[in-house]
Amino acid sequence: MNAASSPTINAEVLQNMWRTRPARAASGSTIGGVCTGIGVRYKVDPTLVKVAFIVSALFGGAGILLYIAAWIVLPEGAPAQSSPETAMRPKRFGHGMRHASSHPPTVVAVAVVAVVALIAGPHLAWSSGGLFGLALMMLGWWLLYQRTPVPEPGTSADTLGQQAAGDPVTAGGSWWQTATGVHTPAAGGHFQSWTPRAWLKEDPPATAADATQKTDGEDADSDVEPPLPTPPAWDPLGAAPFAWDLPEPSSPVERKPSSRFTPVVLGIAVIVAAVAAAIGTEVDWFGPARVGAIALAVVAGGLVIGAFVRKGGGLIPIAIPLAGFVVIATVIGNVNLPEGGIGDRDWKPLSVTDLQDEYSLTMGSARLDLTAIELDADKKVTIDMGVGDFKIIAPENMNLRADCEVAIGEVKCPEGLEGGPDGSQGPVLTIDAHSNIGNVEVIRD
């Protein structure tokens, strides 16, 4: 990809993203090797990738579905060569689960169970939050690809089986091996003797002419020894000839100065958040959610600018948890939990005078039994539930009018005025039930 061109999303970019998708790690991973493979492919810390999946799981379970999908579509990389130390280590958690990914029926079964649990579950219904989490993860993948479009050998689907360039010993041999033609075996060989073989005097095969010359006394040149090799630069005194066949030490690689783009953007975000928090002590509008949203807007602006100048990749691990904080703070700030305590409640008034006008519970499970009540006049009961289940049991012949509302959960209440077997004549009990998260149910007994 041309560095001077602006990053765009088109069919060619999407095809390259898919073609160079990461390969799952065959070793050194916790479960399926997905996060480790992504980290190795795009040169980021796998822990940050795990944090991204966990945060996206808060958005309607999008992270769970994406992890299972990645487990299926990402190929498994080649296993690393094991050493005696690693062979004696205990197997990691999920070792068998990762190898089960090569069996399609097992993977499909896990995926089906996860999808059904997320979609059909009463409390984890797929909503716009799941789509938002999916969009964030896809944006993160695109930014990682823009940061590292060309994969290292063996880290992506299109480079499986390729090996990085070998060291001087295995690839071309050391200077001593090149000069003498003596190579150490690649595997199973012994280390070369401390005396270089070129130092050893070897007699050439004798011929008839040589024998005649020796007989005539013309063998003066036979005592000439071959020239000794010059010591390498790292051993100018020649004190360690047994190690001269080792490769020359490589020169240190000069590191390019790190970019200041990421620290500058983070510094601006911190300053803006601090100013907003200070103003929030005097103005109620600047709550924790809004302060975090302002800082997130600054970081997001830095990501957009960095996508064009190919900088700011370090902002991604900051933006993901910050976005999660904003979402959680917003949800908590909009939820007004009622009073009433935490736990299970079971109310059973025995007369109209015992029937209270309001029943509330912060968190738990509540049951209001009205089977012993006989109305002599119209009555209204208000129910305020924070988090949990609330069940109302009314007698069979009581006239009911229920108005039930649940922010997140399930409602089972009669609509309009519902009378008993004797019709809807007589006094009416009005039930006004509200719950933030949970279930509200009105039944007859």
Side-chain angles (χ1 to χ4, degrees), residues 70-85:
W71 195 349
I72 296 174
V73 302
L74 298 184
E76 184 177 10
Q81 296 180 353
S82 60
S83 61
E85 293 80 359

Side-chain angles (χ1 to χ4, degrees), residues 44-442:
V44 297
D45 191 346
T47 303
L48 301 178
V49 183
K50 296 177 182 179
V51 171
F53 274 102
I54 294 174
V55 173
S56 63
L58 301 176
F59 296 89
I64 301 175
L65 293 178
L66 287 175
Y67 191 93
I68 295 174
W71 195 349
I72 296 174
V73 302
L74 298 184
E76 184 177 10
Q81 296 180 353
S82 60
S83 61
E85 293 80 359
T86 57
M88 298 181 63
R89 294 177 183 173
K91 298 296 183 180
R92 67 183 183 278
F93 171 75
H95 178 75
M97 294 176 59
R98 182 183 59 79
H99 288 283
S101 64
S102 59
H103 303 283
T106 304
V107 175
V108 172
V110 173
V112 170
V113 171
V115 171
V116 172
L118 289 172
I119 295 179
H123 303 294
L124 294 176
W126 184 266
S127 62
S128 59
L131 297 177
F132 182 68
L134 177 62
L136 285 180
M137 293 295 286
M138 292 298 100
L139 176 61
W141 182 19
W142 180 76
L143 291 175
L144 288 176
Y145 171 77
Q146 294 296 327
R147 179 175 177 266
T148 312
V150 180
E152 293 289 341
T155 62
S156 64
D158 63 333
T159 61
L160 287 179
Q162 299 182 10
Q163 299 293 335
D167 54 23
V169 175
T170 59
S174 64
W175 67 271
W176 173 260
Q177 294 171 343
T178 303
T180 62
V182 178
H183 295 271
T184 303
H190 300 285
F191 194 83
Q192 185 177 345
S193 176
W194 72 271
T195 303
R197 296 184 181 181
W199 289 25
L200 300 178
K201 180 178 180 181
E202 297 182 0
D203 296 331
T207 62
D210 294 336
T212 304
Q213 292 177 358
K214 290 182 179 180
T215 304
D216 297 339
E218 298 178 357
D219 56 349
D221 295 338
S222 61
D223 295 333
V224 178
E225 296 183 356
L228 299 180
T230 304
W234 57 267
D235 187 18
L237 300 179
F242 57 86
W244 286 4
D245 59 342
L246 296 178
E248 293 285 351
S250 59
S251 58
V253 180
E254 297 182 0
R255 292 186 177 182
K256 296 181 179 180
S258 58
S259 174
R260 299 180 180 178
F261 183 81
T262 298
V264 169
V265 174
L266 291 180
I268 296 175
V270 172
I271 293 175
V272 172
V275 173
I279 297 176
T281 58
E282 302 294 336
V283 181
D284 295 337
W285 187 84
F286 286 96
R290 290 187 172 92
V291 172
I294 294 174
L296 180 61
V298 176
V299 175
L303 285 174
V304 173
I305 298 175
F308 291 95
V309 299
R310 300 185 63 83
K311 295 180 180 179
L315 296 175
I316 296 177
I318 304 297
I320 293 176
L322 184 58
F325 167 77
V326 173
V327 173
I328 295 175
T330 302
V331 172
I332 295 177
N334 294 333
V335 174
N336 297 321
L337 296 178
E339 298 179 355
I342 300 175
D344 297 337
R345 302 289 188 271
D346 190 358
W347 294 290
K348 187 175 182 179
L350 300 178
S351 63
V352 177
T353 56
D354 297 333
L355 183 62
Q356 302 177 14
D357 294 334
E358 181 179 0
Y359 294 88
S360 62
L361 183 62
T362 303
M363 181 180 299
S365 178
R367 180 173 178 269
L368 178 60
D369 189 352
L370 304 176
T371 54
I373 300 297
E374 292 185 4
L375 294 176
D376 53 5
D378 293 343
K379 183 71 174 180
K380 181 178 180 180
V381 176
T382 301
I383 295 173
D384 198 359
M385 184 72 183
V387 178
D389 298 335
F390 205 109
K391 179 181 290 187
I392 304 168
I393 304 175
E396 185 178 1
N397 58 351
M398 179 179 288
N399 299 325
L400 292 177
R401 178 181 283 109
D403 183 12
C404 304
E405 181 181 359
V406 176
I408 301 175
E410 188 176 359
V411 176
K412 292 183 180 178
C413 295
E415 297 181 358
L417 178 60
E418 181 183 74
D422 57 348
S424 59
Q425 300 295 328
V428 178
L429 176 63
T430 301
I431 300 175
D432 186 6
H434 174 76
S435 176
N436 292 323
I437 302 175
N439 301 326
V440 175
E441 183 180 6
V442 178

